[in-house]
Amino acid sequence: MTAETKFNKDGYTHRTNLYDHQLAGKADYGGSLNFSAYRQGRDRQYLGVNGRNYYAKPWGNDSSNVQAVLNGPAYWKRVYYRENIAARFAEEDAQAAAKKRLRDEAEANMSGSPGSSGGGMRKSQSDPGLAPIEPVKDNYAHIKETMKPYVEKQGKPRIRAMQPGERFTFFNTLGNKYHMKAGGKNMAWNVSTETHRSSKNELNWILSNYFRTDTQAILNGAGGDESMNH
């Protein structure tokens, strides 16, 4: 395999995994998803998972300790999206037990051993008669509940809630660019709303808000809460 072929193959694999991860995040958190924090909160080194081994503490190149010191807001967003490892292990154990039960039943049926069900139909894993998986408590549940308003609002573009059918413009997204506070007074430049022309960088930023994983939250004015941006 040539280097170029391997590069393209690996790139496709990474893109596909990233896309699948984004779909899972959107399914769990909808239009308020912070995908960067979600990915960090699911990182196996941060969670302490290495293959089938669970260290219960970060390992390898995990950056959470440094992030907690240098970038507190991003760290707590990572904690909010942290996966419930105990629930994952419980689900994996239940699935493994179900597969083993089905495998043992199949072997017993083939060998005709006493007590086997013969040619009867096997129960599916969704059979209501099978014991359901007990929900596993998330030890971070209280922290996540407390941090939810902060995670969903802090650091987002300070755009007010849009009305139905209203589109992003310079004045409803970057209008405060020409406002400033000085000497205890709010000062504003006399900008012509009719003749204003946005720069290329301004247009790129305005349009980028339509392509975020949390666009729905932006449209609903999630970033407009000033108490979350101090």
Side-chain angles (χ1 to χ4, degrees):
M1 180 182 296
T2 64
E4 181 179 1
T5 302
K6 184 178 185 304
F7 177 83
N8 292 329
K9 181 180 179 181
D10 292 346
Y12 176 80
T13 300
H14 292 316
R15 288 195 303 273
T16 302
N17 291 337
L18 194 66
Y19 179 71
D20 291 342
H21 214 177
Q22 180 174 334
L23 291 180
K26 294 283 282 187
D28 291 338
Y29 296 96
S32 63
L33 173 68
N34 182 328
F35 189 55
S36 297
Y38 178 84
R39 286 279 293 179
Q40 291 177 334
R42 259 60 178 179
D43 181 72
R44 59 190 178 88
Q45 293 184 351
Y46 166 61
L47 296 172
V49 177
N50 186 2
R52 301 187 64 85
N53 298 320
Y54 180 49
Y55 299 145
K57 63 179 180 179
W59 64 277
N61 294 323
D62 172 68
S63 61
S64 59
N65 290 334
V66 174
Q67 187 183 41
V69 176
L70 300 181
N71 191 353
Y75 171 76
W76 287 111
K77 291 175 185 178
R78 176 198 287 232
V79 172
Y80 174 78
Y81 287 108
R82 180 187 177 95
E83 182 182 3
N84 185 353
I85 290 295
R88 187 218 289 187
F89 288 161
E91 182 178 356
E92 291 177 352
D93 291 344
Q95 292 176 353
K99 290 180 180 179
K100 183 178 184 304
R101 182 178 61 255
L102 293 176
R103 184 170 59 251
D104 292 343
E105 290 179 358
E107 293 176 355
N109 290 337
M110 293 178 63
S111 63
S113 59
S116 66
S117 57
M121 296 181 62
R122 295 178 299 179
K123 291 185 178 181
S124 69
Q125 295 186 41
S126 60
D127 192 310
L130 299 178
I133 302 176
E134 293 292 334
V136 180
K137 179 183 178 180
D138 186 357
N139 293 328
Y140 288 82
H142 180 67
I143 297 177
K144 292 178 179 180
E145 182 180 357
T146 303
M147 296 301 297
K148 182 177 181 180
Y150 182 81
V151 171
E152 293 183 345
K153 297 179 180 180
Q154 191 277 336
K156 295 189 184 299
R158 301 182 185 184
I159 300 174
R160 64 168 174 78
M162 297 290 105
Q163 300 298 320
E166 184 179 8
R167 62 186 179 86
F168 287 142
T169 66
F170 174 86
F171 292 101
N172 63 20
T173 57
L174 291 171
N176 290 332
K177 181 176 181 179
Y178 295 114
H179 295 184
M180 62 181 295
K181 291 184 178 181
K185 298 180 180 179
N186 292 326
M187 304 177 63
W189 299 98
N190 185 19
V191 181
S192 172
T193 59
E194 296 180 355
T195 60
H196 171 81
R197 295 294 182 270
S198 296
S199 68
K200 179 180 178 181
N201 289 335
E202 290 172 344
L203 289 174
N204 286 338
W205 186 86
I206 293 170
L207 292 175
S208 71
N209 289 287
Y210 287 113
F211 301 96
R212 297 169 57 108
T213 57
D214 58 356
T215 293
Q216 190 59 50
I218 300 301
L219 292 171
N220 292 334
D225 189 346
E226 293 296 330
S227 64
M228 296 294 177
N229 293 289
H230 293 294

